[in-house]
Amino acid sequence: MKISVCVDAVYAGKDMRDAIDDVLANGLDTIEFWGWEDKDIQKLREYQEEKGFCVAAFCTKFISLMDPMLRSDYVKGLEETLDIAERLNCRCLITQTGADTGAGRELQRKSLVEGLKACAPLLEKKGVTLVVEPLNLRVDHRGYFLSGSDEAAEIIKEVGSPNVKMLFDIYHQQITEGDLVRRIREYLPYIGHFHAAGNPGRHELYQSEINYPYVFQAIEDGAYEGYMGLEYFPEDVPGTGLAYAKKLAGGLYRQ
């Protein structure tokens, strides 16, 4: 399994170049990050050329998909983000849905599906996958629209594009619904990216009620070819958590 390190989380508050250097020093070669608008993309591209690291994923602009009045703004933001992705040779973009607007749920879901359908031709033309992220409502994201992987999978099926998939965040889905491995096995064809963190606390994978060796094994058994993004806030030095994740990905902790 391929590992990506979310530098905005694991190295929160640190200089991005220093964070990348530490990722590379710990034997990994792929990063991801959240928004791009606060990044110097030209300098990041130059550093990528110098150091040879990959960018697995980052977020498109944070514009709600729940309000059809904002759809043109969302699509324009995606077009800008696709240009950035091309510069960084990144093939996966992350989107949130936005907050629940208070309108009827079916009406909001229709807006979400139609918005994603509007994005599909752009994504297919560029060969980039947009991954829609359900988030937990209980701890971190009260008021967000999409929380369950079951509903996310149905939305992805309805959109009907191979370039629109789900981001399955193991931490968020443990809080929201549990039953992780069954859902991962069922929905793997619709999953384009994973995130991982320990629960409770959102720290390293070894500080968790989640049986990460078993979860990683299930994902590997499903022949998943994408990235496992490490999106946690470490309590130990970053290298300790990265080493553990590397061992998991390499199968050294299999049960």
Side-chain angles (χ1 to χ4, degrees), residues 134-242:
L135 302 172
N136 85 76
L137 309 182
R138 293 181 59 205
V139 178
D140 300 292
H141 297 281
R142 288 181 175 86
Y144 187 72
F145 178 80
L146 183 64
S147 61
S149 63
D150 297 337
E151 185 175 16
E154 291 304 313
I155 288 168
I156 299 307
K157 292 176 191 178
E158 192 172 344
V159 173
S161 170
N163 292 76
V164 179
K165 293 193 173 186
M166 180 198 323
L167 193 169
F168 193 103
D169 188 307
I170 298 166
Y171 162 80
H172 285 301
Q173 296 320 121
Q174 170 68 1
I175 295 170
T176 298
E177 57 198 6
D179 198 13
L180 296 170
V181 167
R182 185 193 64 78
R183 284 186 161 93
I184 287 169
R185 286 172 175 161
E186 182 175 353
Y187 299 144
L188 200 57
Y190 308 105
I191 295 172
H193 196 66
F194 280 95
H195 277 166
N199 183 62
R202 208 170 183 179
H203 302 306
E204 288 88 348
L205 306 191
Y206 51 77
Q207 302 193 64
S208 183
E209 66 185 5
I210 302 167
N211 186 349
Y212 268 110
Y214 185 74
V215 173
F216 271 50
Q217 182 67 65
I219 295 168
E220 185 171 322
D221 288 346
Y224 172 69
E225 295 182 350
Y227 281 93
M228 174 65 69
L230 304 179
E231 190 191 40
Y232 58 78
F233 301 96
E235 289 199 321
D236 298 327
V237 295
T240 304
L242 300 187

Side-chain angles (χ1 to χ4, degrees), residues 27 31 34 115 123 163 198 214:
I31 68 158
W34 294 331
L123 297 161
N163 292 76
Y214 185 74

